[in-house]
Amino acid sequence: MAATCEISNVFSNYFSTMYSPEDPTLASVAPATTFGADDLVVSLSNPQMPLEGTEKASWSGEQPQFWSKAQVLDWISYQVERNKVDASAIDFSRCDMDGATLCSCAPEELRLVFGPLGDQLYSQLWDMTSSFPDELSWIIDLLEKDSASFQETLGDPGPTGTGSSQSPRCSDSGGSDLDLDPGDNRLLCSEGCADHKKGEPKHGKRKRGRPRKLGREPRDCLEGRKSKHAPRGTHLWEFIRDILIQPELNEGLLKWEDRREGVFKFLRSEAVAQLWGQKKKNSSMTYEKLSRAMRYYYKRDILERVDGRRLVYKFGKNSSGWKEEEVVGSQD
DNA sequence: CAGTATTTTCCTGCTT
DNA sequence: AAAGCAGGAAAATACT
């Protein structure tokens, strides 16, 4: 698994996307990494499972407390990969510990060594030690990884930096952020994706929505969609809401304009669109398209129109889960 | 399998 | 001029 350099590449690609000079007012968050790439690739929440089907990870199926040093290392590099963390920023020499030692680390310590990933690791461990079944834990991984990636990406250490797990929401659709198949995400394509383009009406399902006209950039090379139906409840508005109500996720992406009224604004519209696209495994999502979907919400009173102000929307009476009262337990 | 819901994609025209 | 906003149309797919 010497994929670390690729990973850091991808990572900086992501940075370059997230920090595209779209909004100069946001210069406050500096990732402190070199920006190498300049193409539009976002590769945040896609869990590039390093272990392809065949073999299980050495650490899986065993309680972290009982891991050997090797297993610990395995697990850490697994997390690094899956979180698309720039591995070069991590001092692996400090990972020389067994599971018991690892488990006894305070979140601060982990953060010290791993940066924002430390929080990730901590909550991950916590989850594992509190006996989640295997099937669930990867989902939880993803949830948390998702938030960590945001923090990572946004380069700003989370204020308090707690586990920041997804909160139970109450909306009927149960909506939260799990989605994302483990198996079928290849890396999102970058420059070199064109060679995948050959036969497109393959066997698999096509992407949702009207097919794009041919003759444009072959941006999407995701073919092997398995029939892993994304759970319902991940609607666009919920996605937006979830970002908004979690300040940790929210940095620089969206902000409340009037919290009480449910008025919010896109700060970095394209970045949010990319994120949404990732969630839907659609690398060609744009704000333009996302906003079309948002406009459909007006009719259903999920959003109310706010006119005159660009990038500003307002939750309507058929939306839920965003009011302060409704959100209480889910932050700090 | 049919129908509905929710997007996604595209497009034209208008406004900032 | 570029980026948003408005919606209509059409298509895909998830869900019922």
Side-chain angles (χ1 to χ4, degrees):
Chain A
M1 305 280 128
T4 45
C5 33
E6 288 165 83
I7 287 166
S8 36
N9 257 343
V10 170
F11 195 56
S12 42
N13 277 350
Y14 181 48
F15 267 171
S16 70
T17 306
M18 294 305 273
Y19 286 100
S20 56
E22 193 182 319
D23 189 341
T25 64
L26 287 158
S28 56
V29 272
T33 319
T34 51
F35 294 16
D38 47 340
D39 45 317
L40 260 185
V41 170
V42 179
S43 62
L44 161 111
S45 59
N46 280 318
Q48 197 69 28
M49 297 297 189
L51 15 128
E52 296 287 329
T54 46
E55 25 162 344
K56 278 204 124 190
S58 65
W59 44 266
S60 69
E62 213 171 321
Q63 287 286 292
Q65 298 94 313
F66 306 122
W67 287 346
S68 66
K69 289 181 177 183
Q71 284 170 308
V72 168
L73 210 56
D74 260 15
W75 179 72
I76 291 172
S77 36
Y78 166 77
Q79 293 296 339
V80 165
E81 285 201 40
R82 120 184 308 196
N83 285 283
K84 303 277 185 288
V85 168
D86 181 0
S88 63
I90 290 175
D91 183 0
F92 279 96
S93 70
R94 299 183 65 178
C95 304
D96 182 40
M97 54 180 128
D98 58 22
T101 317
L102 178 66
C103 289
S104 67
C105 284
E108 296 77 29
E109 298 178 75
L110 293 175
R111 208 177 304 140
L112 218 69
V113 182
F114 301 103
L117 178 66
D119 289 322
Q120 198 43 225
L121 297 180
Y122 183 79
S123 50
Q124 216 70 190
L125 275 173
W126 200 88
D127 288 340
M128 293 174 98
T129 51
S130 38
S131 73
F132 274 108
D134 258 11
E135 297 96 315
L136 273 169
S137 68
W138 77 264
I139 294 177
I140 288 157
D141 270 11
L142 288 176
L143 289 181
E144 275 167 356
K145 181 189 61 49
D146 227 52
S147 50
S149 301
F150 277 110
Q151 295 180 37
E152 287 276 321
T153 307
L154 296 164
D156 200 18
T160 26
T162 336
S164 85
S165 29
Q166 216 75 20
S167 51
R169 195 101 340 85
C170 45
S171 56
D172 41 307
S173 27
S176 255
D177 278 41
L178 40 115
D179 177 6
L180 311 165
D181 298 67
D184 68 30
N185 301 301
R186 301 285 76 92
L187 256 207
L188 296 177
C189 44
S190 50
E191 356 52 286
C193 136
D195 36 45
H196 278 226
K197 208 230 149 153
K198 29 204 156 173
E200 40 181 305
K202 279 255 161 134
H203 39 68
K205 293 177 186 171
R206 252 187 275 177
K207 262 193 322 208
R208 197 172 212 215
R210 179 181 175 162
R212 253 169 303 142
K213 279 191 174 162
L214 299 164
R216 297 232 169 154
E217 271 202 47
R219 284 215 212 91
D220 73 310
C221 46
L222 325 153
E223 8 192 340
R225 279 226 61 181
K226 314 241 162 42
S227 50
K228 198 52 180 259
H229 71 309
R232 212 183 172 177
T234 299
H235 293 136
L236 175 58
W237 69 270
E238 295 171 305
F239 171 78
I240 297 296
R241 173 199 65 191
D242 290 349
I243 294 177
L244 272 165
I245 63 181
Q246 303 199 47
E248 273 103 73
L249 302 196
N250 188 357
E251 319 224 27
L253 293 174
L254 296 156
K255 73 163 191 208
W256 288 112
E257 202 90 305
D258 184 334
R259 178 68 207 259
R260 184 144 295 174
E261 292 291 306
V263 181
F264 61 94
K265 175 174 187 170
F266 282 77
L267 295 178
R268 295 194 302 134
S269 48
E270 288 306 330
V272 174
Q274 289 288 305
L275 248 30
W276 173 239
Q278 273 182 24
K279 184 181 259 322
K280 304 295 288 294
K281 300 191 188 61
N282 175 355
S283 51
S284 50
M285 182 48 61
T286 62
Y287 177 71
E288 177 115 31
K289 291 185 274 196
L290 181 153
S291 64
R292 181 68 188 93
M294 296 284 279
R295 291 195 291 275
Y296 272 124
Y297 286 144
Y298 294 144
K299 207 173 324 198
R300 298 163 54 203
D301 282 319
I302 287 171
L303 293 179
E304 272 173 47
R305 183 169 269 126
V306 174
D307 34 38
R309 304 164 67 193
R310 295 183 150 207
L311 302 169
V312 175
Y313 298 79
K314 178 179 194 297
F315 285 116
K317 48 173 150 329
N318 289 338
S319 63
S320 61
W322 54 268
K323 298 192 190 81
E324 277 152 311
E325 312 91 80
E326 295 176 285
V327 182
V328 275
S330 79
Q331 35 193 323
D332 48 63

